[in-house]
mmCIF file of all heavy atoms in Angstrom:
data_model
loop_
_atom_site.group_PDB
_atom_site.id
_atom_site.type_symbol
_atom_site.label_atom_id
_atom_site.label_comp_id
_atom_site.label_asym_id
_atom_site.label_seq_id
_atom_site.Cartn_x
_atom_site.Cartn_y
_atom_site.Cartn_z
ATOM 1 N N PHE A 137 -12.063 15.166 19.984
ATOM 2 C CA PHE A 137 -12.995 16.245 19.465
ATOM 3 C C PHE A 137 -12.354 17.631 19.410
ATOM 4 O O PHE A 137 -12.677 18.416 18.539
ATOM 5 C CB PHE A 137 -14.196 16.291 20.386
ATOM 6 C CG PHE A 137 -15.046 15.058 20.255
ATOM 7 C CD1 PHE A 137 -14.759 13.967 21.118
ATOM 8 C CD2 PHE A 137 -16.049 14.995 19.344
ATOM 9 C CE1 PHE A 137 -15.561 12.795 20.985
ATOM 10 C CE2 PHE A 137 -16.800 13.814 19.207
ATOM 11 C CZ PHE A 137 -16.536 12.724 20.037
ATOM 12 N N LYS A 138 -11.399 17.975 20.277
ATOM 13 C CA LYS A 138 -10.815 19.299 20.280
ATOM 14 C C LYS A 138 -11.942 20.367 20.135
ATOM 15 O O LYS A 138 -12.071 21.085 19.170
ATOM 16 C CB LYS A 138 -9.836 19.472 19.164
ATOM 17 C CG LYS A 138 -8.676 20.391 19.344
ATOM 18 C CD LYS A 138 -7.728 19.946 20.409
ATOM 19 C CE LYS A 138 -6.311 20.260 20.128
ATOM 20 N NZ LYS A 138 -5.389 20.003 21.241
ATOM 21 N N GLN A 139 -12.787 20.414 21.141
ATOM 22 C CA GLN A 139 -14.015 21.192 21.137
ATOM 23 C C GLN A 139 -13.751 22.696 20.924
ATOM 24 O O GLN A 139 -12.731 23.198 21.363
ATOM 25 C CB GLN A 139 -14.784 20.976 22.427
ATOM 26 C CG GLN A 139 -15.204 19.571 22.692
ATOM 27 C CD GLN A 139 -16.356 19.064 21.797
ATOM 28 O OE1 GLN A 139 -16.808 19.797 20.941
ATOM 29 N NE2 GLN A 139 -16.783 17.843 22.064
ATOM 30 N N PRO A 140 -14.677 23.373 20.237
ATOM 31 C CA PRO A 140 -14.480 24.826 19.982
ATOM 32 C C PRO A 140 -14.273 25.605 21.264
ATOM 33 O O PRO A 140 -14.961 25.383 22.250
ATOM 34 C CB PRO A 140 -15.786 25.233 19.304
ATOM 35 C CG PRO A 140 -16.345 23.964 18.741
ATOM 36 C CD PRO A 140 -15.896 22.856 19.624
ATOM 37 N N SER A 141 -13.230 26.461 21.256
ATOM 38 C CA SER A 141 -12.909 27.359 22.345
ATOM 39 C C SER A 141 -12.391 26.690 23.628
ATOM 40 O O SER A 141 -11.609 27.337 24.347
ATOM 41 C CB SER A 141 -14.140 28.251 22.700
ATOM 42 O OG SER A 141 -14.533 28.953 21.569
ATOM 43 N N ILE A 142 -12.706 25.461 23.922
ATOM 44 C CA ILE A 142 -12.310 24.842 25.161
ATOM 45 C C ILE A 142 -11.424 23.569 24.918
ATOM 46 O O ILE A 142 -10.954 22.967 25.883
ATOM 47 C CB ILE A 142 -13.521 24.450 26.024
ATOM 48 C CG1 ILE A 142 -14.356 23.353 25.374
ATOM 49 C CG2 ILE A 142 -14.309 25.672 26.414
ATOM 50 C CD1 ILE A 142 -15.393 22.764 26.298
ATOM 51 N N GLY A 143 -11.171 23.213 23.700
ATOM 52 C CA GLY A 143 -10.356 22.006 23.378
ATOM 53 C C GLY A 143 -8.971 22.232 23.947
ATOM 54 O O GLY A 143 -8.277 23.190 23.587
ATOM 55 N N GLY A 144 -8.526 21.346 24.813
ATOM 56 C CA GLY A 144 -7.296 21.531 25.548
ATOM 57 C C GLY A 144 -6.015 21.268 24.778
ATOM 58 O O GLY A 144 -6.009 20.509 23.803
ATOM 59 N N GLU A 145 -4.942 21.840 25.230
ATOM 60 C CA GLU A 145 -3.615 21.620 24.699
ATOM 61 C C GLU A 145 -3.140 20.181 25.061
ATOM 62 O O GLU A 145 -3.473 19.654 26.128
ATOM 63 C CB GLU A 145 -2.619 22.608 25.297
ATOM 64 C CG GLU A 145 -1.139 22.369 24.927
ATOM 65 C CD GLU A 145 -0.217 23.267 25.769
ATOM 66 O OE1 GLU A 145 -0.516 23.476 26.940
ATOM 67 O OE2 GLU A 145 0.773 23.732 25.206
ATOM 68 N N VAL A 146 -2.483 19.525 24.132
ATOM 69 C CA VAL A 146 -1.798 18.258 24.427
ATOM 70 C C VAL A 146 -0.295 18.469 24.297
ATOM 71 O O VAL A 146 0.208 18.755 23.244
ATOM 72 C CB VAL A 146 -2.309 17.133 23.478
ATOM 73 C CG1 VAL A 146 -1.547 15.824 23.748
ATOM 74 C CG2 VAL A 146 -3.765 16.946 23.519
ATOM 75 N N GLY A 147 0.372 18.315 25.428
ATOM 76 C CA GLY A 147 1.785 18.648 25.443
ATOM 77 C C GLY A 147 2.662 17.737 24.609
ATOM 78 O O GLY A 147 2.204 16.669 24.199
ATOM 79 N N LEU A 148 3.876 18.180 24.359
ATOM 80 C CA LEU A 148 4.821 17.420 23.544
ATOM 81 C C LEU A 148 5.032 15.999 24.197
ATOM 82 O O LEU A 148 5.391 15.917 25.369
ATOM 83 C CB LEU A 148 6.165 18.195 23.446
ATOM 84 C CG LEU A 148 7.137 17.714 22.429
ATOM 85 C CD1 LEU A 148 6.597 17.915 21.005
ATOM 86 C CD2 LEU A 148 8.495 18.473 22.581
ATOM 87 N N HIS A 149 4.850 15.003 23.403
ATOM 88 C CA HIS A 149 4.944 13.663 23.927
ATOM 89 C C HIS A 149 5.277 12.683 22.791
ATOM 90 O O HIS A 149 5.201 12.983 21.628
ATOM 91 C CB HIS A 149 3.597 13.210 24.594
ATOM 92 C CG HIS A 149 2.515 13.096 23.628
ATOM 93 N ND1 HIS A 149 1.801 14.187 23.064
ATOM 94 C CD2 HIS A 149 1.893 12.008 23.035
ATOM 95 C CE1 HIS A 149 0.891 13.779 22.246
ATOM 96 N NE2 HIS A 149 0.961 12.434 22.187
ATOM 97 N N GLN A 150 5.634 11.440 23.190
ATOM 98 C CA GLN A 150 5.919 10.341 22.310
ATOM 99 C C GLN A 150 4.852 9.238 22.615
ATOM 100 O O GLN A 150 4.664 8.847 23.776
ATOM 101 C CB GLN A 150 7.332 9.836 22.491
ATOM 102 C CG GLN A 150 8.395 10.836 22.202
ATOM 103 C CD GLN A 150 9.746 10.407 22.822
ATOM 104 O OE1 GLN A 150 9.843 10.340 24.062
ATOM 105 N NE2 GLN A 150 10.774 10.139 21.980
ATOM 106 N N ASP A 151 4.255 8.668 21.572
ATOM 107 C CA ASP A 151 3.173 7.654 21.837
ATOM 108 C C ASP A 151 3.728 6.408 22.508
ATOM 109 O O ASP A 151 2.990 5.793 23.262
ATOM 110 C CB ASP A 151 2.523 7.291 20.504
ATOM 111 C CG ASP A 151 1.629 8.417 19.994
ATOM 112 O OD1 ASP A 151 1.228 9.345 20.778
ATOM 113 O OD2 ASP A 151 1.273 8.388 18.786
ATOM 114 N N SER A 152 4.952 6.062 22.277
ATOM 115 C CA SER A 152 5.502 4.860 22.949
ATOM 116 C C SER A 152 5.595 5.010 24.433
ATOM 117 O O SER A 152 5.743 4.044 25.158
ATOM 118 C CB SER A 152 6.860 4.506 22.348
ATOM 119 O OG SER A 152 6.757 3.974 21.061
ATOM 120 N N THR A 153 5.564 6.260 24.937
ATOM 121 C CA THR A 153 5.482 6.506 26.401
ATOM 122 C C THR A 153 4.282 5.819 26.972
ATOM 123 O O THR A 153 4.312 5.212 28.072
ATOM 124 C CB THR A 153 5.389 8.041 26.654
ATOM 125 O OG1 THR A 153 6.632 8.617 26.338
ATOM 126 C CG2 THR A 153 5.077 8.295 28.123
ATOM 127 N N PHE A 154 3.181 5.814 26.211
ATOM 128 C CA PHE A 154 1.877 5.308 26.749
ATOM 129 C C PHE A 154 1.553 3.908 26.278
ATOM 130 O O PHE A 154 0.750 3.191 26.876
ATOM 131 C CB PHE A 154 0.778 6.263 26.341
ATOM 132 C CG PHE A 154 1.005 7.656 26.843
ATOM 133 C CD1 PHE A 154 1.599 8.626 26.015
ATOM 134 C CD2 PHE A 154 0.679 8.054 28.131
ATOM 135 C CE1 PHE A 154 1.823 9.894 26.440
ATOM 136 C CE2 PHE A 154 0.954 9.326 28.605
ATOM 137 C CZ PHE A 154 1.505 10.241 27.768
ATOM 138 N N LEU A 155 2.134 3.520 25.187
ATOM 139 C CA LEU A 155 1.933 2.165 24.577
ATOM 140 C C LEU A 155 3.300 1.552 24.361
ATOM 141 O O LEU A 155 3.817 1.464 23.229
ATOM 142 C CB LEU A 155 1.160 2.270 23.299
ATOM 143 C CG LEU A 155 -0.295 2.836 23.459
ATOM 144 C CD1 LEU A 155 -0.915 3.098 22.142
ATOM 145 C CD2 LEU A 155 -1.156 1.848 24.266
ATOM 146 N N TYR A 156 3.896 1.075 25.464
ATOM 147 C CA TYR A 156 5.283 0.631 25.471
ATOM 148 C C TYR A 156 5.376 -0.854 25.225
ATOM 149 O O TYR A 156 4.654 -1.662 25.792
ATOM 150 C CB TYR A 156 5.861 0.957 26.864
ATOM 151 C CG TYR A 156 7.319 0.541 27.055
ATOM 152 C CD1 TYR A 156 8.343 1.362 26.579
ATOM 153 C CD2 TYR A 156 7.635 -0.626 27.720
ATOM 154 C CE1 TYR A 156 9.661 1.014 26.771
ATOM 155 C CE2 TYR A 156 8.946 -0.997 27.912
ATOM 156 C CZ TYR A 156 9.985 -0.175 27.442
ATOM 157 O OH TYR A 156 11.290 -0.473 27.643
ATOM 158 N N THR A 157 6.250 -1.246 24.300
ATOM 159 C CA THR A 157 6.585 -2.657 24.106
ATOM 160 C C THR A 157 8.087 -2.814 24.147
ATOM 161 O O THR A 157 8.841 -1.856 24.006
ATOM 162 C CB THR A 157 6.032 -3.169 22.774
ATOM 163 O OG1 THR A 157 6.651 -2.468 21.671
ATOM 164 C CG2 THR A 157 4.517 -2.989 22.680
ATOM 165 N N GLU A 158 8.485 -4.072 24.286
ATOM 166 C CA GLU A 158 9.916 -4.419 24.313
ATOM 167 C C GLU A 158 10.203 -5.455 23.230
ATOM 168 O O GLU A 158 9.708 -6.580 23.371
ATOM 169 C CB GLU A 158 10.306 -4.947 25.696
ATOM 170 C CG GLU A 158 10.132 -3.920 26.805
ATOM 171 C CD GLU A 158 10.231 -4.535 28.196
ATOM 172 O OE1 GLU A 158 9.979 -5.790 28.303
ATOM 173 O OE2 GLU A 158 10.552 -3.834 29.130
ATOM 174 N N PRO A 159 10.864 -5.131 22.126
ATOM 175 C CA PRO A 159 11.371 -3.777 21.784
ATOM 176 C C PRO A 159 10.214 -2.858 21.398
ATOM 177 O O PRO A 159 9.074 -3.338 21.169
ATOM 178 C CB PRO A 159 12.274 -4.067 20.571
ATOM 179 C CG PRO A 159 11.777 -5.332 19.977
ATOM 180 C CD PRO A 159 11.245 -6.148 21.113
ATOM 181 N N LYS A 160 10.467 -1.560 21.236
ATOM 182 C CA LYS A 160 9.412 -0.595 20.941
ATOM 183 C C LYS A 160 8.860 -0.809 19.535
ATOM 184 O O LYS A 160 9.673 -1.052 18.589
ATOM 185 C CB LYS A 160 9.940 0.830 21.143
ATOM 186 C CG LYS A 160 10.343 1.128 22.575
ATOM 187 C CD LYS A 160 10.894 2.530 22.769
ATOM 188 C CE LYS A 160 12.294 2.658 22.297
ATOM 189 N NZ LYS A 160 13.261 1.886 23.123
ATOM 190 N N SER A 161 7.552 -0.723 19.404
ATOM 191 C CA SER A 161 6.936 -1.051 18.125
ATOM 192 C C SER A 161 5.704 -0.176 17.770
ATOM 193 O O SER A 161 5.166 -0.290 16.708
ATOM 194 C CB SER A 161 6.506 -2.502 18.102
ATOM 195 O OG SER A 161 5.472 -2.751 19.061
ATOM 196 N N CYS A 162 5.349 0.756 18.627
ATOM 197 C CA CYS A 162 4.081 1.497 18.456
ATOM 198 C C CYS A 162 4.129 2.377 17.234
ATOM 199 O O CYS A 162 5.115 3.061 16.975
ATOM 200 C CB CYS A 162 3.820 2.347 19.751
ATOM 201 S SG CYS A 162 2.389 3.454 19.564
ATOM 202 N N ILE A 163 3.018 2.386 16.461
ATOM 203 C CA ILE A 163 2.829 3.306 15.375
ATOM 204 C C ILE A 163 1.404 3.844 15.488
ATOM 205 O O ILE A 163 0.464 3.116 15.726
ATOM 206 C CB ILE A 163 2.995 2.649 13.996
ATOM 207 C CG1 ILE A 163 4.504 2.198 13.834
ATOM 208 C CG2 ILE A 163 2.646 3.613 12.859
ATOM 209 C CD1 ILE A 163 4.792 1.539 12.476
ATOM 210 N N GLY A 164 1.237 5.196 15.339
ATOM 211 C CA GLY A 164 -0.050 5.825 15.458
ATOM 212 C C GLY A 164 -0.587 6.262 14.103
ATOM 213 O O GLY A 164 0.196 6.652 13.231
ATOM 214 N N PHE A 165 -1.879 6.081 13.918
ATOM 215 C CA PHE A 165 -2.574 6.479 12.661
ATOM 216 C C PHE A 165 -3.617 7.527 12.991
ATOM 217 O O PHE A 165 -4.607 7.198 13.701
ATOM 218 C CB PHE A 165 -3.205 5.236 12.006
ATOM 219 C CG PHE A 165 -2.195 4.208 11.572
ATOM 220 C CD1 PHE A 165 -1.777 3.259 12.536
ATOM 221 C CD2 PHE A 165 -1.669 4.182 10.331
ATOM 222 C CE1 PHE A 165 -0.807 2.266 12.176
ATOM 223 C CE2 PHE A 165 -0.690 3.250 9.977
ATOM 224 C CZ PHE A 165 -0.299 2.282 10.915
ATOM 225 N N TRP A 166 -3.397 8.737 12.559
ATOM 226 C CA TRP A 166 -4.221 9.883 12.980
ATOM 227 C C TRP A 166 -5.010 10.364 11.755
ATOM 228 O O TRP A 166 -4.431 10.832 10.780
ATOM 229 C CB TRP A 166 -3.326 11.006 13.501
ATOM 230 C CG TRP A 166 -3.965 12.177 14.159
ATOM 231 C CD1 TRP A 166 -4.176 12.378 15.477
ATOM 232 C CD2 TRP A 166 -4.448 13.364 13.447
ATOM 233 N NE1 TRP A 166 -4.753 13.597 15.693
ATOM 234 C CE2 TRP A 166 -4.974 14.235 14.478
ATOM 235 C CE3 TRP A 166 -4.523 13.767 12.108
ATOM 236 C CZ2 TRP A 166 -5.520 15.459 14.203
ATOM 237 C CZ3 TRP A 166 -5.090 15.001 11.818
ATOM 238 C CH2 TRP A 166 -5.582 15.824 12.849
ATOM 239 N N LEU A 167 -6.332 10.270 11.821
ATOM 240 C CA LEU A 167 -7.194 10.635 10.704
ATOM 241 C C LEU A 167 -7.898 11.938 10.989
ATOM 242 O O LEU A 167 -8.611 12.099 12.039
ATOM 243 C CB LEU A 167 -8.273 9.556 10.486
ATOM 244 C CG LEU A 167 -7.811 8.249 9.821
ATOM 245 C CD1 LEU A 167 -8.900 7.184 10.008
ATOM 246 C CD2 LEU A 167 -7.548 8.460 8.332
#
Side-chain angles (χ1 to χ4, degrees):
F137 294 88
K138 208 68 143 171
Q139 300 287 3
S141 301
I142 64 169
E145 175 188 38
V146 178
L148 193 65
H149 67 282
Q150 299 162 295
D151 288 342
S152 288
T153 291
F154 303 96
L155 297 169
Y156 180 81
T157 62
E158 297 167 336
K160 294 180 284 294
S161 64
C162 174
I163 295 179
F165 298 85
W166 189 97
L167 284 167

